[in-house]
Amino acid sequence: MSGLRADLAAIAELVPAGARVLDVGCGDGRLLEHLERVRGVEGRGLELSIAGVNACVARGLPVVQGDADRDLAFYPDDAFDLAILSDTIQATQNPRAVLTHLLRIAPRAAVSFPNFGHWRVRWSLVARGRMPVSDALPASWWETRNIHLCTSNDFLDLAEACGGRIGTALVVAGGKVRGPFDPANPLARGLANLTGEHAVFLVERRAR
Amino acid sequence: MTDSPLQPPGGALTAAPRAPDPRLRIVRPGALKLRRGGQLDPLEVAFETWGTLDADRANAVLVCHALTGDQYVAGDNPVAGTKAWWPAMVGPGRPIDTNRFFVICANVVGGCMGSSGPVSAGADGAALGLDFPRVTIADMVEAQRALLDHLGIRRLLLVTGGSVGGMQALQWAAAHPDRVIACAPIATAARHSAQNIAFYEVGRQAIARDPDFHGGYYARLKGEVRPSAGLAVARMAAHITYLSEASLEAKFRDPGRRRLDDGLPFRPAAEIESWLDHQGRRFVSRFDACSYLYITRAADDFDLAADHGGELHRAFRDSPVRFCVSSFTSDWHYTPAQNREIARALNAAGARVSYVEIDSDKGHDAFLIDSELRDGQPFAESMRAFVQAAARGAGLA
């Protein structure tokens, strides 16, 4: 699909047409541009790097240079229909505060992250006794920006703690989207946690 | 010039040129009612343009100048003998490309480069001085609007400006959202901080306490009486706030340059001191002291939130304008926080806003500095990208 990375393609499938969307950590704006063009969304971005911001501005996308830990607090309640956090939550200082803000800003949040429960990660730790380096986790431990890695099962607990429930649960493995799976089913949940390189969740705000 | 023990060496300071000069391009588009009462009748607007207006009149860009700027954004000022002030931003092949866009820049009302201001002549033929009415940022924008009406330009592809020019750009988008497609305020504020006001008050007091100020009517006296020492001190104080500690340190790093002492305790000694003195002198040769009072006061008065029930985002409710707010990390005159506040308000209003924070050690003046505007530099590239996306969005090839 349109050359998007598999986890971004999976997120794109979760976005309703015409929605107001905030993409937190939008990078060079590839996903937002795709969503504006194909889904007719009203998109906004938040991005830390100047290179990413300028790439977005060049695409004509509205993007604010800032970071998720500091700047989400300034977005009003329900300003958006959907918030996207792709491959970013593991790099935030306070993932719980970030997800809580996302569910305040929008009733739904699409979140993807590298799954630390994947069997290859476990193998690297158990058999080799070393931190994993893989396609999903390409940087060595001393230079990674990832400071809050978690497994797909861990995230389910966080979503619960932040007042959310899982609407759709997907994983990405071998460049393909698998699922949806039922996170309430222990077997499906365990299998997804073992086989997913990336996890992709649509988290819905429970009634306040 | 009165004799003063603090008078710097190097002779008397030269006075500002008196408008109008035949080389200035001035229109009189009717009268202008002013926000704080009174009117300008006739309103005079001095302006310059670059590039060609296309057949659809759809490629117009308005550049708003800062406190001490003028209409010569992309060409040298023949009256003051100064260089174009933003040639790295506006020109052929530059981010605001004069090969593609019709660029307009007008002297603000209250200024001293040909537009209505305190140097304009009153009924008796003498300069108005403090008889000129108080003007606001909104009045500056309405004067520009009158100019555009006069030129037959309904809609601006882009309105942009840095510093006090950024305030005008914001005011344009708030007051005339139907006449602006894109708005790029740079290194600016939606209202002055107490610190901003404090620094400008120092400047105003330096001018008003100059014995040659004569209650603001110095231009009516015989001879070239001007409060030049006060204006120079005002410029020196303000200039410090336009630079960062790092950029000053870099300029005057060499410890040998710090001591050029001639034995007198008050003469400019260290290089930073003589450099400031030079900045002050250069400024008074091209600027009027009363204009400095009027424009700093207009900037101090500017408060876009207060104009809209105390909530800045209400100034931009349902705005169709696309915005790109830029700031510089080392700017302590209009800080990144002040600019971020604008971006947040625009976001809260649901406007299409980008916010770019450029990592620079050049302070407030970074937006004017060539090295920040070279091709490939983040500021040049974000402005180029924003202008091009706006042109694309407006259907310009």
Side-chain angles (χ1 to χ4, degrees):
Chain A
M1 200 185 95
S2 70
L4 283 180
R5 227 167 57 206
D7 62 313
L8 296 183
I11 287 174
E13 292 301 313
L14 300 174
V15 178
R20 292 170 301 157
V21 173
L22 175 66
D23 187 351
V24 179
C26 60
D28 64 7
R30 201 162 298 188
L31 174 62
L32 261 187
E33 186 181 48
H34 171 84
L35 291 173
E36 284 207 338
R37 210 178 52 232
V38 177
R39 303 246 158 184
V41 306
E42 180 70 26
R44 297 285 187 275
L46 181 66
E47 169 62 25
L48 193 55
S49 78
I50 184 71
V53 169
N54 279 350
C56 290
V57 172
R59 291 177 201 265
L61 296 167
V63 59
V64 168
Q65 186 170 26
D67 82 65
D69 284 303
R70 193 186 63 186
D71 292 315
L72 288 176
F74 296 95
Y75 288 83
D77 294 0
D78 283 310
F80 296 92
D81 300 314
L82 179 80
I84 293 172
L85 189 65
S86 64
D87 209 17
T88 297
I89 194 168
Q90 77 281 0
T92 63
Q93 290 286 340
N94 191 338
R96 178 171 181 164
V98 167
L99 186 59
T100 302
H101 272 307
L102 293 186
L103 290 175
R104 175 185 63 76
I105 294 165
R108 285 178 298 176
V111 183
S112 80
F113 55 91
N115 172 29
F116 217 69
H118 186 252
W119 66 266
R120 222 181 271 120
V121 173
R122 301 191 201 193
W123 177 256
S124 178
L125 279 167
V126 170
R128 300 175 54 235
R130 291 192 177 272
M131 286 295 282
V133 176
S134 67
D135 289 346
L137 297 163
S140 295
W141 68 271
W142 63 80
E143 58 189 4
T144 181
R145 64 190 191 106
N146 299 335
I147 53 175
H148 282 120
L149 287 158
C150 70
T151 72
S152 139
N153 282 356
D154 289 331
F155 183 82
L156 296 175
D157 298 342
L158 178 68
E160 179 76 28
C162 294
R165 62 158 174 266
I166 302 299
T168 308
L170 304 164
V171 292
V172 175
K176 288 201 170 60
V177 181
R178 325 239 164 177
F181 66 91
D182 177 5
N185 177 333
L187 194 62
R189 190 170 66 209
L191 196 65
N193 196 21
L194 199 59
T195 59
E197 290 161 3
H198 272 90
V200 182
F201 291 106
L202 184 67
V203 186
E204 296 173 345
R205 181 202 301 154
R206 284 196 304 262
R208 282 195 282 213
Chain B
M1 220 37 235
T2 49
D3 279 326
S4 152
L6 288 177
Q7 184 180 338
L13 303 163
T14 42
R18 294 182 69 167
D21 183 288
R23 290 166 291 185
L24 294 169
R25 205 170 152 196
I26 298 174
V27 295
R28 288 171 189 80
L32 180 68
K33 240 173 100 68
L34 298 171
R35 177 78 73 93
R36 285 179 156 272
Q39 59 173 352
L40 301 175
D41 187 12
L43 166 67
E44 295 186 307
V45 184
F47 70 106
E48 287 294 327
T49 66
W50 290 266
T52 311
L53 188 62
D54 65 19
D56 301 332
R57 299 168 181 247
N59 67 335
V61 170
L62 179 69
V63 176
C64 305
H65 72 73
L67 170 58
T68 66
D70 56 34
Q71 59 271 42
Y72 295 93
V73 56
D76 297 348
N77 180 338
V79 180
T82 47
K83 295 276 177 206
W85 57 267
W86 219 11
M89 177 67 87
V90 183
R94 302 316 307 151
I96 299 173
D97 187 350
T98 50
N99 291 331
R100 295 183 65 197
F101 306 119
F102 180 64
V103 178
I104 307 154
C105 186
N107 186 217
V108 296
V109 292
C112 50
M113 200 43 73
S115 291
S116 300
V119 296
S120 301
D124 59 358
L128 284 166
L130 293 191
D131 286 346
F132 185 73
R134 279 278 286 277
V135 290
T136 62
I137 298 292
D139 295 326
M140 294 174 184
V141 164
E142 290 316 303
Q144 292 157 356
R145 195 231 352 109
L147 170 65
L148 293 192
D149 290 347
H150 178 87
L151 297 174
I153 294 166
R154 169 75 201 141
R155 213 156 178 220
L156 291 168
L157 173 65
L158 172 74
V159 57
T160 187
S163 201
V164 173
M167 292 177 176
Q168 295 161 53
L170 285 171
Q171 174 67 28
W172 256 104
H176 302 292
D178 54 327
R179 296 189 69 165
V180 175
I181 292 172
C183 174
I186 299 161
T188 190
R191 75 178 182 100
H192 264 182
S193 67
Q195 190 187 46
N196 294 142
I197 296 172
F199 270 107
Y200 282 143
E201 179 61 7
V202 169
R204 285 189 292 264
Q205 289 300 325
I207 292 166
R209 296 181 191 206
D210 186 312
D212 284 338
F213 183 62
H214 296 287
Y217 298 108
Y218 49 85
R220 297 187 172 182
L221 303 177
K222 282 200 162 59
E224 288 289 304
V225 179
R226 299 285 181 274
S228 297
L231 181 59
V233 170
R235 176 61 168 179
M236 286 159 71
H239 206 91
I240 300 166
T241 73
Y242 304 153
L243 303 169
S244 68
E245 187 187 18
S247 60
L248 271 183
E249 205 52 41
K251 218 189 245 304
F252 304 103
R253 184 164 20 216
D254 183 355
R257 293 176 151 199
R258 294 196 173 217
R259 287 181 197 281
L260 305 170
D261 215 325
D262 65 356
L264 290 171
F266 56 84
R267 290 272 177 84
E271 270 210 8
I272 172 68
E273 297 167 39
S274 56
W275 177 80
L276 268 180
D277 179 52
H278 170 72
Q279 296 299 326
R281 280 163 187 282
R282 212 170 56 166
F283 182 60
V284 301
S285 70
R286 69 175 175 87
F287 213 82
D288 175 68
C290 278
S291 275
Y292 196 86
L293 301 180
Y294 277 91
I295 304 174
T296 55
R297 184 61 90 186
D300 284 354
D301 269 352
F302 185 59
D303 188 340
L304 208 42
D307 292 348
H308 294 84
E311 303 268 8
L312 184 54
H313 64 85
R314 283 198 205 147
F316 304 107
R317 173 90 27 236
D318 298 321
S319 178
V321 179
R322 5 162 121 221
F323 293 86
C324 184
V325 180
S326 306
S327 75
F328 298 86
T329 50
S330 57
D331 185 347
W332 61 282
H333 184 65
Y334 296 135
T335 61
Q338 283 170 294
N339 288 277
R340 221 179 284 128
E341 188 187 324
I342 297 166
R344 282 173 182 153
L346 287 165
N347 243 326
R352 276 185 81 85
V353 57
S354 289
Y355 172 66
V356 184
E357 198 168 297
I358 305 292
D359 193 13
S360 165
D361 67 357
K362 298 290 189 292
H364 180 60
D365 270 355
F367 81 90
L368 293 168
I369 290 178
D370 285 358
S371 62
E372 299 287 340
L373 280 163
R374 274 199 284 268
D375 291 343
Q377 289 300 307
F379 180 47
E381 292 315 306
S382 68
M383 282 298 289
R384 189 186 296 277
F386 181 67
V387 174
Q388 287 183 356
R392 216 164 50 233
L396 298 180

